[in-house]
Amino acid sequence: MKLCKMITMHVTVHVHVAVAVLLVSTMTGYSALTAANVVRPPIILVPGLAGSQLDGKQSKDFKTKHPCFRLKNWGQVWLALDQLAGSFANCATNNLRLDFDPMSLEYSEPEGMQIRVPHFGSTASVEYLDRDPLVELIPESHYLHAMVNFFVKEHGYTRDVDIVAAPYDWRKSPWGKADTYFDDVQHLIEQVSNRSESPAIVISHSMGGPVMQAFFNQTTSDWKDEYISAWFPVDGVWTGSPKVAKAIISGENFGVPAPENILATMERTLESSFFLMPLPDLWPENVANFVTVEGSNKTIYGTGNTVQLLADIGVPYPDKRLDYLNEMRMSLEAPGVPVHCVYGTGVATAWHYTYKELDGSPPAHVEYGDGDGTVPLHSLARCADWADQQSQNVTVKTFFKLEHVAAIKSQAVFKYIQSQIPALASPAGTPLSPISAQSLTILLTSLHCGLLHAYVSL
């Protein structure tokens, strides 16, 4: 009992911390206690052009002029790097082409072909574009893996729980996708937000920017206030890019090891190609012309005669393909959510191509301006205009010499996003020091004394 009296003066100092830590350690296995518990917002990733895996399946009705194996069962058609080598690329691009109906203005797969977007909601759909584990070491297959890894390792996010993905059929425009896509996105955001008890962070890349802008335009203000904490569009293609004109004329592989002239036969059938062409009413007049053909009759093409350019390279119904898309693009308004507009600058970006003929050959000369290497600066920066069009904050963050695809693999971009999310910008609280051996001894002794005293009192 004398010992019990000796430690009485020490118990007051240690008991509060020791009891708290002991209880937390007992219940959770942790030896330290955080002073605050900040809810971590869920993250939704929206990829860009060619940034979602696509699966395909063919029936006997599917016609092709190339000697290709028929896909009797569902299999990956994008990105399948082994299918893009040599003559196999003809089969791969033929699987992805679209037919256009000039009456309904709708795009669809050719007869006998089915395409689906696998793994909606899972980051597996966007981390690597080729699902073959043998090609995970090939850089061209990497897409959003580095970003997902950052939030998983640095902030304890869990794949497919509080960091998820909303892949889509990137061959089509926001208005040409299956009717359920925006519904699926809305449900996904609601699901992860309710599970995390926090509004969500949306991070989009490239074409994913205007896709999400269209999504936000069709949701209510009340819904956005409840479910969206902030949107980080990275390298958004807000008013188009001349590089898409090159894709339609002579092909563009966007970094994928595939023959550009073969890709062109597919790219000039895709709705997304026409959706991402320079937008006439919002394209600067000093760079309005983006293609010159030097042939026997020198012709200059630009925002004023894009329809003629498409007609001259053999695209059917060019006016019907472009007119309704440009009208829909012009109808897009500010998103009505807090925006952090992120993009690279200072990278040589093609803004004008010169061809000898429109025969599918690569351009003879390219002129460059400022941008991220894919999208010109004036298109990237268009999101800054939203600051005058909505009450929610619009912040612009630029990164010098940061290229279009490198942006979504950049630690600097990840850390900027982290810094703008209050729950991630600082620790959730200051951990209390682990209980010392002396404090634990005093605590246990005091508890023993209390029990002894209670026993003696009986």
Side-chain angles (χ1 to χ4, degrees):
M1 295 299 293
K2 184 176 180 181
L3 176 62
C4 295
K5 292 180 181 179
M6 291 176 59
I7 66 171
T8 301
M9 65 182 69
H10 299 284
V11 173
T12 303
V13 177
H14 296 279
V15 71
H16 296 294
V17 171
V19 169
V21 175
L22 183 63
L23 290 176
V24 171
S25 301
T26 302
M27 292 184 291
T28 67
Y30 291 100
S31 62
L33 178 70
T34 30
N37 181 23
V38 179
V39 176
R40 184 175 56 216
I43 295 174
I44 289 84
L45 304 175
V46 183
L49 181 68
S52 302
Q53 299 173 5
L54 297 177
D55 286 353
K57 181 181 179 182
Q58 298 165 344
S59 73
K60 62 182 180 180
D61 297 321
F62 183 69
K63 301 293 191 298
T64 175
K65 60 183 179 181
H66 306 289
C68 305
F69 292 106
R70 182 156 61 89
L71 299 171
K72 297 180 180 180
N73 300 307
W74 286 105
Q76 186 168 12
V77 294
W78 184 268
L79 171 69
L81 290 172
D82 60 334
Q83 298 177 25
L84 290 173
S87 60
F88 290 112
N90 287 304
C91 300
T93 55
N94 193 53
N95 292 340
L96 294 168
R97 63 186 170 87
L98 289 172
D99 288 342
F100 176 67
D101 183 347
M103 300 302 294
S104 65
L105 304 180
E106 294 181 353
Y107 287 78
S108 61
E109 285 75 35
E111 184 180 4
M113 187 75 203
Q114 298 179 64
I115 295 288
R116 70 181 183 187
V117 182
H119 309 305
F120 183 85
S122 173
T123 62
S125 63
V126 297
E127 289 195 59
Y128 297 99
L129 296 182
D130 192 324
R131 292 198 295 271
D132 187 340
L134 295 178
V135 302
E136 286 189 1
L137 297 178
I138 299 177
E140 289 82 4
S141 179
H142 292 210
Y143 189 42
L144 296 180
H145 174 67
M147 181 178 288
V148 173
N149 244 17
F150 174 82
F151 288 105
V152 168
K153 292 185 175 181
E154 296 294 325
H155 295 289
Y157 278 81
T158 301
R159 286 175 170 86
D160 306 343
V161 176
D162 52 5
I163 183 166
V164 298
Y168 56 88
D169 188 344
W170 44 266
R171 301 173 304 156
K172 302 178 181 179
S173 79
W175 305 282
K177 305 186 187 315
D179 293 338
T180 62
Y181 178 70
F182 283 166
D183 291 338
D184 292 341
V185 172
Q186 184 167 336
H187 177 71
L188 179 64
I189 292 174
E190 291 171 358
Q191 183 182 50
V192 296
S193 295
N194 291 334
R195 183 163 56 210
S196 300
E197 298 183 343
S198 169
I201 300 293
V202 176
I203 304 175
S204 62
H205 179 236
S206 192
M207 179 181 166
V211 168
M212 286 309 293
Q213 183 185 6
F215 168 76
F216 288 132
N217 275 196
Q218 59 92 53
T219 55
T220 67
S221 297
D222 289 344
W223 185 89
K224 288 181 282 195
D225 291 344
E226 180 176 358
Y227 287 105
I228 302 298
S229 175
W231 175 31
F232 291 81
V234 179
D235 290 336
V237 195
W238 306 116
T239 59
S241 172
K243 183 172 275 194
V244 180
K246 173 184 176 290
I248 296 173
I249 298 170
S250 57
E252 172 59 49
N253 62 21
F254 295 102
V256 174
E260 291 192 331
N261 63 320
I262 295 178
L263 288 176
T265 61
M266 170 196 70
E267 290 170 324
R268 65 178 57 134
T269 73
L270 305 185
E271 184 182 22
S272 55
S273 295
F274 309 110
F275 170 69
L276 295 174
M277 287 285 281
L279 186 58
D281 292 343
L282 296 179
W283 204 256
E285 292 185 5
N286 62 320
V287 289
N289 299 322
F290 45 82
V291 172
T292 295
V293 178
E294 292 182 328
S296 53
N297 295 314
K298 182 176 181 180
T299 308
I300 299 175
Y301 300 97
T303 55
N305 61 346
T306 307
V307 169
Q308 187 60 50
L309 169 63
L310 298 180
D312 289 348
I313 60 177
V315 176
Y317 312 108
D319 54 338
K320 291 183 177 292
R321 293 176 187 265
L322 278 179
D323 290 350
Y324 93 94
L325 280 177
N326 288 344
E327 182 179 345
M328 295 298 289
R329 291 166 72 192
M330 285 300 298
S331 70
L332 289 176
E333 300 176 347
V337 298
V339 176
H340 296 269
C341 193
V342 179
Y343 56 87
T345 65
V347 182
T349 304
W351 71 271
H352 192 278
Y353 297 93
T354 299
Y355 290 88
K356 292 182 177 180
E357 298 287 348
L358 288 177
D359 58 1
S361 300
H365 178 67
V366 182
E367 296 178 55
Y368 295 90
D370 197 358
D372 68 0
T374 295
V375 185
L377 180 59
H378 51 79
S379 182
L380 294 165
R382 179 62 62 174
C383 53
D385 294 350
W386 297 337
D388 298 325
Q389 301 168 12
Q390 65 176 38
S391 58
Q392 296 83 2
N393 288 338
V394 176
T395 304
V396 175
K397 177 63 175 178
T398 61
F399 291 85
F400 187 60
K401 293 294 183 182
L402 188 60
E403 189 269 337
H404 189 76
V405 176
I408 43 88
K409 302 177 182 180
S410 165
Q411 290 289 316
V413 171
F414 304 161
K415 290 177 180 178
Y416 169 73
I417 294 174
Q418 165 194 280
S419 73
Q420 301 304 306
I421 303 174
L424 306 185
S426 60
T430 304
L432 299 176
S433 300
I435 185 170
S436 67
Q438 179 186 10
S439 297
L440 183 58
T441 300
I442 293 172
L443 173 64
L444 294 176
T445 304
S446 64
L447 290 174
H448 169 75
C449 292
L451 290 173
L452 178 62
H453 177 74
Y455 176 75
V456 172
S457 299
L458 291 176

